[in-house]
Amino acid sequence: MSRRPRYIGRAMSISRDEAREIAIVGILATVVLRVGAGVLQLIDDIGQQSTARSLAGRLLAPIGSTVGMLALGAVLLIVLSPTGSITPAVVKAARRVAGLVALLGIAASFHSLALGYSDVLARIWFAMINGLAAATLGTTGWWILRNFDADR
């Protein structure tokens, strides 16, 4: 008599390792969506009235602490998972996304500080809560994955 799995109310089940990997991919996809939203804003703003300053502002608008926390969260899921439970491709993607967040955070900070429309203290405050936060969190995640030793 063959034993068939019973599916009551669910189509399939996944393991903890698969759940972690799916969560990491979902987090990374969310980061890509946030960055993509900036690209779409830039495309939408292209026209005769747009300037390089306004286009950069539209591109970098979604880059902030939320994007940085998502990138670092994916990294922490990776390093806190058992060795070998996350595929190398997902680890590489997370490192690249964290590096991208760091670079975009630096660019957003520069844009806010150098090209902002408000007074100096307001530009510093805005850069601190947005671009600098993303840059700090993204750089932290990138550095952790770059230097992580699973055997230690």
Side-chain angles (χ1 to χ4, degrees):
M1 175 193 248
S2 68
R3 185 153 200 263
R4 292 187 346 210
R6 287 195 279 168
Y7 297 109
I8 301 173
R10 63 179 198 233
M12 73 166 78
S13 62
I14 60 173
S15 68
R16 290 185 200 286
D17 290 348
E18 292 167 329
R20 279 190 292 267
E21 193 148 336
I22 290 167
I24 292 164
V25 170
I27 291 169
L28 296 178
T30 303
V31 172
V32 171
L33 288 171
R34 295 289 299 236
V35 172
V39 172
L40 288 179
Q41 285 183 328
L42 177 139
I43 292 168
D44 185 51
D45 199 41
I46 293 175
Q48 291 183 352
Q49 301 298 324
S50 60
T51 64
R53 181 181 186 179
S54 69
L55 292 175
R58 300 287 281 181
L59 173 67
L60 300 169
I63 306 303
S65 59
T66 301
V67 173
M69 286 186 278
L70 288 167
L72 185 58
V75 168
L76 291 177
L77 272 174
I78 291 169
V79 299
L80 297 174
S81 296
T83 302
S85 65
I86 308 297
T87 60
V90 171
V91 174
K92 187 177 186 178
R95 187 176 62 244
R96 287 183 175 175
V97 167
L100 175 66
V101 168
L103 292 174
L104 289 172
I106 291 166
S109 299
F110 175 78
H111 181 269
S112 296
L113 293 170
L115 303 174
Y117 292 103
S118 50
D119 63 14
V120 174
L121 286 179
R123 285 185 289 185
I124 292 171
W125 170 80
F126 189 79
M128 289 172 71
I129 65 169
N130 289 299
L132 290 173
T136 301
L137 293 165
T139 302
T140 301
W142 174 83
W143 188 88
I144 287 171
L145 284 182
R146 183 175 172 265
N147 296 297
F148 182 63
D149 181 2
D151 298 326
R152 282 187 64 188

